[in-house]
Amino acid sequence: MDLVPFIGVMWLEILLASGLGFLIYWFVSRDKEETLPLEDGWWGPGAKPTVREDESILPFKVETSEEEIRDLHQRIDRFRPTPSLEGSRFHYGFNSKYLKKILSYWRNEFDWRKQVEILNKYPHFKTKIEGLDIHFVHVKPTQLPSGCSPKPLLMVHGWPGSFYEFYKIIPLLTDPKSHGLSDEHVFEVICPSIPGYSFSEASSKKGLNSVATARIFYKLMLRLGFQEFYIQGGDWGSLICTNMAQLVPSHVKGLHLNMAFVLRSTHTLAPLLGRRIGGLLGYTERDMELLSPFKEKVFYSIMRESGYMHIQATKPDTVGCALNDSPVGLAAYILEKFSTWTNADFRDLEDGGLERKFSLDDLLTNIMLYWTTGSIVSSQRYYKENLGQGLMTQKHEWMKVSVPTGFAAFPCELLHLPERSVRAKYPKLLSYSYMARGGHFAALEEPDLLAQDIRKFVTLVEQQ
């Protein structure tokens, strides 16, 4: 018996069945909203206890001491300056001539006790989640329109920022009427510190990345009694909030971002082809302005501003030893980011343009949150935990986000993301705004603009 025809027919049937199965799977799954597995974790020292974790929420107060301030002053006094090169401005990093001015202010005029009082004007709390003490600020509205409930909003910072970045935007969201805004949307704002940042305990174990942080913050919101809530973030906060939307989309009413990690877009290089081709691919004139000249705005800019990232994504503890021992080194390292990440053109200024957008009190308060808590090393490790395995190696990097999304594109952000690119990752993009001004630290730099865009986005969500 000749088996060849029989085998041929059999393989044809297998191929046809496989092809039909693939088509059925494609039609069934193409609109399926994929989620990340929630899983669990333990980041405290030693083995996870067998007893149930204490879920109590305890008030917390920022404190300082004469000894803490005296030690800071002594370290500043011992600083050994290195003269800057003539005409270098901020092109070689932080200009030491301007640094001397900041150190004089920090040593002789900056009032840390007063800033501690300002930090304590909003209620602080701590609660234990997955073995770590998680710190957060929780601000409830003082007045509500009759018959209205506040909208819970989780706001997440990044590096080298802190929860303090949100202090100027909080009153615009929790008490809009007192600031000339409509009370259509009144928010209850929760601002946690990422584990290993300021007052949130650092992990004792490797692997605490943005997905683990998203899960921890989700547990925090549940512990506070919120089943549905809005979330907002920039820098690492944008990735943490994105991961939360991927983990528990049914609990996230809306996701608002002022930065996004969109690594998988087929149109990333379209501006190289010119304005006409860019327009055909969905880029607007404003997109082309913000991305041109492409080599300068993308390639050279990324090379210039990403050196810190390579260090922190590989061996963060080494440079961390120096930064944790020297408040002056710490200030120069962090404040340089507040210069060039606010506006790349500030590199051309002797003072880095720092005081054009921020007060020295605000900038130094953020530095003090790293210095007094000794958290610079653990904050830098976050880069290794998230980037140490390489790009596009994590499931969440390939996944789309299935919750309503709003995006505020600030013109001086490190890298402009056109609406087309954002929509590729966030297909339920309800609002995309070209902001009038502002850079990376949007909540601290332009709280009014960011608050307005959040409110606009929430209006669109609730009109659906």
Side-chain angles (χ1 to χ4, degrees):
M1 178 180 178
D2 187 1
L3 295 177
V4 173
F6 174 77
I7 293 172
V9 170
M10 182 182 71
W11 276 110
L12 180 62
E13 289 176 344
I14 291 172
L15 288 172
L16 288 172
S18 299
L20 181 60
F22 173 79
L23 286 173
I24 293 172
Y25 172 81
W26 183 78
F27 276 110
V28 169
S29 65
R30 61 176 177 164
D31 294 322
K32 185 179 179 182
E33 296 177 350
E34 192 176 9
T35 60
L36 287 173
L38 194 56
E39 299 179 339
D40 202 0
W42 173 261
W43 309 102
K48 182 178 180 179
T50 55
V51 296
R52 184 174 178 177
E53 191 166 63
D54 180 6
E55 297 186 356
S56 57
I57 298 172
L58 302 175
F60 173 78
K61 189 175 182 181
V62 183
E63 296 179 337
T64 187
S65 66
E66 192 60 42
E67 180 184 355
E68 183 176 74
I69 296 170
R70 183 167 54 249
D71 175 70
L72 170 71
H73 289 170
Q74 289 173 349
R75 290 170 184 264
I76 293 174
D77 290 340
R78 291 197 297 268
F79 169 57
R80 296 189 303 170
T82 301
S84 294
L85 296 173
E86 295 176 4
S88 61
R89 291 159 290 181
F90 263 60
H91 286 275
Y92 280 68
F94 208 96
N95 185 287
S96 62
K97 185 177 180 181
Y98 178 61
L99 181 60
K100 290 178 182 177
K101 177 191 172 183
I102 288 183
L103 296 182
S104 175
Y105 182 85
W106 198 4
R107 174 66 175 83
N108 302 308
E109 298 178 58
F110 178 73
D111 189 342
W112 175 231
R113 292 188 184 277
K114 177 186 173 185
Q115 294 306 117
V116 165
E117 290 179 8
I118 292 173
L119 289 171
N120 285 323
K121 76 176 181 178
Y122 296 132
H124 294 247
F125 301 89
K126 281 190 175 184
T127 189
K128 187 77 76 174
I129 304 177
E130 297 192 7
L132 300 178
D133 274 332
I134 301 300
H135 160 263
F136 62 99
V137 171
H138 187 178
V139 185
K140 299 179 180 180
T142 54
Q143 54 183 340
L144 280 169
S146 178
C148 288
S149 299
K151 299 172 174 64
L153 171 64
L154 180 79
M155 304 189 78
V156 186
H157 66 89
W159 188 93
S162 64
F163 66 89
Y164 183 65
E165 289 180 70
F166 301 116
Y167 266 47
K168 287 177 170 34
I169 197 173
I170 286 173
L172 304 179
L173 298 169
T174 59
D175 188 16
K177 200 164 187 179
S178 297
H179 296 84
L181 300 170
S182 163
D183 58 5
E184 176 189 6
H185 303 301
V186 181
F187 296 91
E188 183 172 339
V189 178
I190 300 92
C191 303
S193 295
I194 297 171
Y197 287 69
S198 61
F199 303 113
S200 276
E201 186 179 357
S203 174
S204 295
K205 296 173 172 59
K206 297 185 292 184
L208 196 151
N209 58 14
S210 61
V211 176
T213 306
R215 183 180 64 241
I216 288 170
F217 288 170
Y218 164 62
K219 291 179 179 180
L220 171 64
M221 295 302 278
L222 292 184
R223 194 168 294 183
L224 292 172
F226 302 120
Q227 290 296 321
E228 282 191 316
F229 42 84
Y230 289 95
I231 52 180
Q232 199 283 329
D235 196 87
W236 283 129
S238 72
L239 183 57
I240 292 166
C241 289
T242 293
N243 293 158
M244 192 180 297
Q246 293 169 323
L247 285 166
V248 288
S250 61
H251 292 267
V252 177
K253 289 192 71 174
L255 165 68
H256 186 278
L257 305 172
N258 54 280
M259 181 179 167
F261 292 79
V262 179
L263 302 175
R264 186 188 178 197
S265 176
T266 56
H267 304 289
T268 304
L269 301 179
L272 280 173
L273 304 176
R275 289 179 181 264
R276 179 172 295 180
I277 299 299
L280 292 173
L281 292 174
Y283 284 72
T284 66
E285 279 295 317
R286 183 60 174 150
D287 291 329
M288 300 305 290
E289 287 174 15
L290 293 170
L291 288 169
S292 299
F294 189 78
K295 285 192 292 186
E296 167 61 30
K297 290 288 183 71
V298 180
F299 291 122
Y300 297 156
S301 176
I302 289 175
M303 287 291 292
R304 208 169 26 234
E305 296 301 327
S306 63
Y308 82 98
M309 185 186 299
H310 294 281
I311 293 172
Q312 293 174 192
T314 53
K315 297 181 179 180
D317 287 23
T318 305
V319 68
C321 290
L323 300 178
N324 195 49
D325 190 59
S326 169
V328 179
L330 179 68
Y333 193 75
I334 288 179
L335 292 181
E336 182 237 306
K337 309 306 178 194
F338 277 84
S339 167
T340 52
W341 292 5
T342 298
N343 190 319
D345 292 339
F346 286 174
R347 296 191 313 275
D348 296 326
L349 304 174
E350 291 289 337
D351 63 357
L354 277 171
E355 294 174 77
R356 295 190 177 193
K357 291 288 190 170
F358 311 107
S359 72
L360 288 182
D361 280 346
D362 284 340
L363 292 171
L364 290 171
T365 296
N366 184 65
I367 299 297
M368 290 294 284
L369 288 172
Y370 282 89
W371 175 253
T372 59
T373 59
S375 59
I376 186 61
V377 177
S378 52
S379 75
Q380 290 174 304
R381 287 174 184 160
Y382 208 66
Y383 282 79
K384 186 168 181 67
E385 304 299 5
N386 285 289
L387 303 174
Q389 304 301 315
L391 299 177
M392 304 308 291
T393 59
Q394 309 291 323
K395 183 179 180 180
H396 69 82
E397 295 173 298
W398 296 88
M399 283 176 56
K400 295 185 177 183
V401 176
S402 62
V403 306
T405 305
F407 191 84
F410 284 87
C412 294
E413 182 55 275
L414 287 164
L415 179 63
H416 173 67
L417 277 180
E419 180 177 350
R420 180 78 179 259
S421 299
V422 177
R423 193 176 296 279
K425 176 81 173 180
Y426 305 88
K428 293 186 178 179
L429 187 68
L430 297 186
S431 72
Y432 179 96
S433 306
Y434 295 102
M435 308 305 286
R437 58 189 178 275
H440 187 72
F441 303 97
L444 185 61
E445 181 191 349
E446 297 291 348
D448 293 306
L449 291 182
L450 184 59
Q452 290 168 17
D453 201 67
I454 293 170
R455 290 165 56 83
K456 181 184 80 171
F457 166 64
V458 171
T459 297
L460 293 173
V461 172
E462 305 202 344
Q463 284 176 348
Q464 284 190 308

mmCIF file of all heavy atoms in Angstrom, residues 126-140:
data_model
loop_
_atom_site.group_PDB
_atom_site.id
_atom_site.type_symbol
_atom_site.label_atom_id
_atom_site.label_comp_id
_atom_site.label_asym_id
_atom_site.label_seq_id
_atom_site.Cartn_x
_atom_site.Cartn_y
_atom_site.Cartn_z
ATOM 1 N N LYS A 126 1.817 55.777 57.758
ATOM 2 C CA LYS A 126 2.586 54.602 57.348
ATOM 3 C C LYS A 126 1.745 53.361 57.583
ATOM 4 O O LYS A 126 0.942 53.307 58.505
ATOM 5 C CB LYS A 126 3.894 54.492 58.144
ATOM 6 C CG LYS A 126 5.008 55.412 57.663
ATOM 7 C CD LYS A 126 6.327 55.058 58.336
ATOM 8 C CE LYS A 126 7.472 55.889 57.782
ATOM 9 N NZ LYS A 126 8.782 55.481 58.357
ATOM 10 N N THR A 127 1.944 52.376 56.710
ATOM 11 C CA THR A 127 1.290 51.086 56.884
ATOM 12 C C THR A 127 2.196 49.999 56.301
ATOM 13 O O THR A 127 2.958 50.250 55.363
ATOM 14 C CB THR A 127 -0.095 51.060 56.209
ATOM 15 O OG1 THR A 127 -0.792 49.863 56.570
ATOM 16 C CG2 THR A 127 0.009 51.151 54.691
ATOM 17 N N LYS A 128 2.138 48.813 56.868
ATOM 18 C CA LYS A 128 3.006 47.708 56.457
ATOM 19 C C LYS A 128 2.355 46.927 55.310
ATOM 20 O O LYS A 128 1.245 46.417 55.452
ATOM 21 C CB LYS A 128 3.253 46.774 57.637
ATOM 22 C CG LYS A 128 4.268 45.676 57.385
ATOM 23 C CD LYS A 128 5.703 46.172 57.445
ATOM 24 C CE LYS A 128 6.155 46.405 58.875
ATOM 25 N NZ LYS A 128 7.597 46.756 58.936
ATOM 26 N N ILE A 129 3.054 46.851 54.177
ATOM 27 C CA ILE A 129 2.570 46.093 53.018
ATOM 28 C C ILE A 129 3.722 45.273 52.449
ATOM 29 O O ILE A 129 4.782 45.810 52.135
ATOM 30 C CB ILE A 129 1.994 47.017 51.923
ATOM 31 C CG1 ILE A 129 0.878 47.907 52.484
ATOM 32 C CG2 ILE A 129 1.470 46.197 50.746
ATOM 33 C CD1 ILE A 129 0.307 48.900 51.485
ATOM 34 N N GLU A 130 3.504 43.970 52.342
ATOM 35 C CA GLU A 130 4.502 43.038 51.827
ATOM 36 C C GLU A 130 5.840 43.180 52.556
ATOM 37 O O GLU A 130 6.920 43.104 51.965
ATOM 38 C CB GLU A 130 4.678 43.193 50.311
ATOM 39 C CG GLU A 130 3.394 42.859 49.545
ATOM 40 C CD GLU A 130 3.568 42.724 48.045
ATOM 41 O OE1 GLU A 130 4.733 42.752 47.575
ATOM 42 O OE2 GLU A 130 2.557 42.590 47.342
ATOM 43 N N GLY A 131 5.767 43.413 53.864
ATOM 44 C CA GLY A 131 6.961 43.460 54.696
ATOM 45 C C GLY A 131 7.630 44.812 54.790
ATOM 46 O O GLY A 131 8.653 44.952 55.461
ATOM 47 N N LEU A 132 7.081 45.840 54.138
ATOM 48 C CA LEU A 132 7.703 47.165 54.131
ATOM 49 C C LEU A 132 6.775 48.211 54.735
ATOM 50 O O LEU A 132 5.557 48.184 54.495
ATOM 51 C CB LEU A 132 8.051 47.578 52.701
ATOM 52 C CG LEU A 132 9.021 46.686 51.921
ATOM 53 C CD1 LEU A 132 9.204 47.227 50.512
ATOM 54 C CD2 LEU A 132 10.358 46.577 52.640
ATOM 55 N N ASP A 133 7.358 49.148 55.467
ATOM 56 C CA ASP A 133 6.608 50.316 55.927
ATOM 57 C C ASP A 133 6.441 51.262 54.745
ATOM 58 O O ASP A 133 7.429 51.812 54.230
ATOM 59 C CB ASP A 133 7.365 51.030 57.058
ATOM 60 C CG ASP A 133 7.067 50.440 58.425
ATOM 61 O OD1 ASP A 133 5.970 49.898 58.595
ATOM 62 O OD2 ASP A 133 7.941 50.524 59.305
ATOM 63 N N ILE A 134 5.201 51.445 54.322
ATOM 64 C CA ILE A 134 4.917 52.320 53.183
ATOM 65 C C ILE A 134 4.394 53.655 53.698
ATOM 66 O O ILE A 134 3.408 53.715 54.421
ATOM 67 C CB ILE A 134 3.898 51.675 52.222
ATOM 68 C CG1 ILE A 134 4.437 50.339 51.695
ATOM 69 C CG2 ILE A 134 3.567 52.625 51.076
ATOM 70 C CD1 ILE A 134 5.739 50.446 50.919
ATOM 71 N N HIS A 135 5.090 54.710 53.300
ATOM 72 C CA HIS A 135 4.709 56.072 53.701
ATOM 73 C C HIS A 135 3.809 56.702 52.646
ATOM 74 O O HIS A 135 3.994 56.473 51.438
ATOM 75 C CB HIS A 135 5.971 56.919 53.876
ATOM 76 C CG HIS A 135 5.711 58.402 53.812
ATOM 77 N ND1 HIS A 135 5.888 59.140 52.651
ATOM 78 C CD2 HIS A 135 5.277 59.276 54.759
ATOM 79 C CE1 HIS A 135 5.581 60.408 52.897
ATOM 80 N NE2 HIS A 135 5.206 60.516 54.157
ATOM 81 N N PHE A 136 2.849 57.477 53.080
ATOM 82 C CA PHE A 136 2.009 58.212 52.127
ATOM 83 C C PHE A 136 1.403 59.447 52.778
ATOM 84 O O PHE A 136 1.225 59.516 53.996
ATOM 85 C CB PHE A 136 0.895 57.321 51.553
ATOM 86 C CG PHE A 136 -0.088 56.784 52.558
ATOM 87 C CD1 PHE A 136 -1.331 57.385 52.745
ATOM 88 C CD2 PHE A 136 0.214 55.667 53.331
ATOM 89 C CE1 PHE A 136 -2.242 56.885 53.658
ATOM 90 C CE2 PHE A 136 -0.694 55.152 54.249
ATOM 91 C CZ PHE A 136 -1.923 55.762 54.419
ATOM 92 N N VAL A 137 1.130 60.429 51.940
ATOM 93 C CA VAL A 137 0.377 61.624 52.329
ATOM 94 C C VAL A 137 -1.055 61.417 51.860
ATOM 95 O O VAL A 137 -1.282 60.956 50.739
ATOM 96 C CB VAL A 137 0.990 62.889 51.688
ATOM 97 C CG1 VAL A 137 0.088 64.094 51.900
ATOM 98 C CG2 VAL A 137 2.383 63.155 52.255
ATOM 99 N N HIS A 138 -2.013 61.721 52.715
ATOM 100 C CA HIS A 138 -3.431 61.510 52.395
ATOM 101 C C HIS A 138 -4.198 62.785 52.732
ATOM 102 O O HIS A 138 -4.335 63.155 53.896
ATOM 103 C CB HIS A 138 -3.971 60.335 53.203
ATOM 104 C CG HIS A 138 -5.366 59.925 52.835
ATOM 105 N ND1 HIS A 138 -6.015 58.864 53.420
ATOM 106 C CD2 HIS A 138 -6.254 60.425 51.918
ATOM 107 C CE1 HIS A 138 -7.223 58.741 52.904
ATOM 108 N NE2 HIS A 138 -7.386 59.680 51.988
ATOM 109 N N VAL A 139 -4.666 63.464 51.682
ATOM 110 C CA VAL A 139 -5.333 64.757 51.866
ATOM 111 C C VAL A 139 -6.788 64.656 51.412
ATOM 112 O O VAL A 139 -7.064 64.395 50.239
ATOM 113 C CB VAL A 139 -4.609 65.872 51.085
ATOM 114 C CG1 VAL A 139 -5.244 67.231 51.399
ATOM 115 C CG2 VAL A 139 -3.124 65.889 51.419
ATOM 116 N N LYS A 140 -7.686 64.889 52.355
ATOM 117 C CA LYS A 140 -9.113 64.881 52.062
ATOM 118 C C LYS A 140 -9.610 66.312 51.870
ATOM 119 O O LYS A 140 -9.079 67.245 52.472
ATOM 120 C CB LYS A 140 -9.881 64.209 53.204
ATOM 121 C CG LYS A 140 -9.486 62.752 53.438
ATOM 122 C CD LYS A 140 -10.266 62.148 54.600
ATOM 123 C CE LYS A 140 -9.862 60.696 54.834
ATOM 124 N NZ LYS A 140 -10.600 60.071 55.942
#
